[in-house]
Amino acid sequence: MVAGQDQAAAAPAIDVADLAIRYGGQLALAGVTLQVPRNEIFGIIGPANSGKTSFLRAVNRMDLLTPGMTVEGSVSVEGKEVRSWRNAYALRRRIGVVFPLPVGLPMTIYENVALSARLRGTRNRSDLDVIVERCLRRAALWDEVKDRLDSLGSLLSGGQQQRLTIARALSQDPSILLLDEFSIAVDPVTTMRIEEVLAELRAEMTIVMVTNLVQQARRLASQTAFFLTGELVEVGETETLFEGGARDERTTAYLEGKFG
Amino acid sequence: MNAAADRRDLSWWVDKVAQILVLAGGLSAIVFIVGIFLFIGREGAGFIFEGFSLREFLLSPRWTPTSNHNPTFGALALIAGTASVTGLAMVVAVPFSLGAAIYIGEFATGRGRETLKVLVELLAAIPSVVWGFVGLSIMNPLIVRVFDAPVGLNVLNSGIILGLMAAPIMTTIAEDALKAVPDTYREAAEAMGATRWQVILKVVLPAGRNGLVAATLLGVGRGFGETMAVLMASGHAVNLPTSPFDAVRALTATIAAELGETAEGSEHWQALFTLGIFLFLVTFTINFLADVFVRGGLPGRRRRGRRPVASANP
């Protein structure tokens, strides 16, 4: 038993082998094998329709909620195959997700961040207060909203809503954070602030960051994977890839902005 | 050359005529609603301005318009009849329609969902006299047998019938309200590990709250206005109900049953039109409130206008 636990503790945050994803028989992603080490920011880049979002959906078992989506191969989170979880909800609670477009749920700012704790049965108001303040501070939003926690989260600006979404994801106390093109609806200044937040969070959790901005991957990710039309072209140290050390010429071409 | 091109051709005229026809269609709604109000107002006016006592009308349960010596026009019993039947109908219809809307909107998929929607719409199309028939011939003996009541035509009977009648339209509107809740809300909550039931309870129902209230209000409006089924199933006795087993008489049923037997322009005739005005005002208010709720402050809708900031091209 002890050996098993050690093994689980040493296992990579996400271990994917021969992953293939189909939507109603249509292949969206195939032949993906990669490891995401713990406490690292792992970048995934690639043009639209390359399977990046599908990859994230397979990790937190959103395939269960997507009619027609099937997953083959193996996806392990911290040493445990995700499809062996009998309670997929419990798996998802350990994985925070930030979507491309900010989703401020139609409730107050406070309730947005307290929701996850409430769903787990936390009722004590002062416990919730602590969680809400801590998560909003870590998402660099506290100072802007501390005086209006009771106003609607969906009325915040796009950049603020995206930080609210991050605060909500952090409130799950996740060990893995999945970010799907989080800066697509966010202004450059807010993007930089969120990037600073992510750099700090690296110490506490593993971050998988899908991005359509290659420079964002360069700034943050220690390793980067390049997806192209449903295929993992290559994965390597971010610096190596950007310094011209890519093994595949398509990677070099994409990083140089020749397509995509 | 331009003079030749600048010519009112056929498509210009078609466009013009179509605009006028569509405008006329739109205006007709206003004309009809104003016309109906003026008509029933005029017929009821003599009573309202001469023999009418608002106090008697609203507070007296004595509706004896055909009495030779002392005709009285107290509508309280009729109002109580309509209100009690409608109230019970909502107790029946709200859980049914909400449950059906949640199932159709959140759980059913594919063919099952389409079939259910068609069936619900079919249910809404059953003529009210058929529902009245069900109340008369099925519910009536059933209530007598199950509850050992002397008569089965009462508040309970007509309330259940009216609830079943109102449920389909309420289901359709409630389902529309749930469908208007953006999928991104559901996905965000699901990604947090919320169970389906938690997603519905904490996110979908609160976000669709206004539409659900509107659905209920429209059901209430339907209940107030329904005539035939209530006439057949309620017992049609002027009575202040004290239990669900009391027979009552509804405002609408009173008008339907008595208007044909009344001399045109008589006090009784005018009193019936006053009932009509009262009904009109109540349903108008309910529909207005429903409309306010449909438009009012659904936060998810307000957000929709905001366009995301375009991202830099990678």
Side-chain angles (χ1 to χ4, degrees), chain A residues 79-100:
Chain A
K80 186 169 164 64
E81 163 64 42
V82 290
R83 272 165 295 171
S84 72
W85 283 71
R86 282 175 302 171
N87 183 351
Y89 305 119
L91 169 70
R92 290 195 199 109
R93 285 197 282 264
R94 302 180 58 173
I95 301 176
V97 183
V98 177
F99 294 95

Side-chain angles (χ1 to χ4, degrees), chain A residues 57 60 62 65 89 92-93 95 97 99 101-107 112 115-116 118-119 152 154-158 161 168 171-172 183-187 212-214 254 260, chain B residues 109 181-199 202-204 206-209 297-300 302-303 306-314:
Chain A
R57 295 179 76 86
N60 76 337
M62 291 299 265
L65 304 162
Y89 305 119
R92 290 195 199 109
R93 285 197 282 264
I95 301 176
V97 183
F99 294 95
L101 297 178
V103 185
L105 290 172
M107 48 186 84
N112 259 283
L115 180 61
S116 172
R118 279 196 199 279
L119 292 178
L152 275 176
S154 43
L155 297 181
L156 291 171
S157 77
Q161 276 197 53
R168 205 173 56 213
S171 75
Q172 293 171 237
S183 56
I184 209 163
V186 177
D187 64 276
N212 55 351
L213 307 172
V214 291
Y254 183 71
Chain B
T109 52
V181 176
D183 272 341
T184 53
Y185 290 177
R186 295 183 182 85
E187 203 163 57
E190 279 158 355
M192 294 171 70
T195 64
R196 279 179 108 172
W197 185 236
Q198 286 173 327
V199 172
K202 303 277 183 185
V203 178
V204 177
R209 189 182 50 223
L298 188 68
R302 239 182 269 155
R303 225 170 54 89
R306 182 176 297 144
R307 286 171 56 85
V309 182
S311 67
N313 222 359

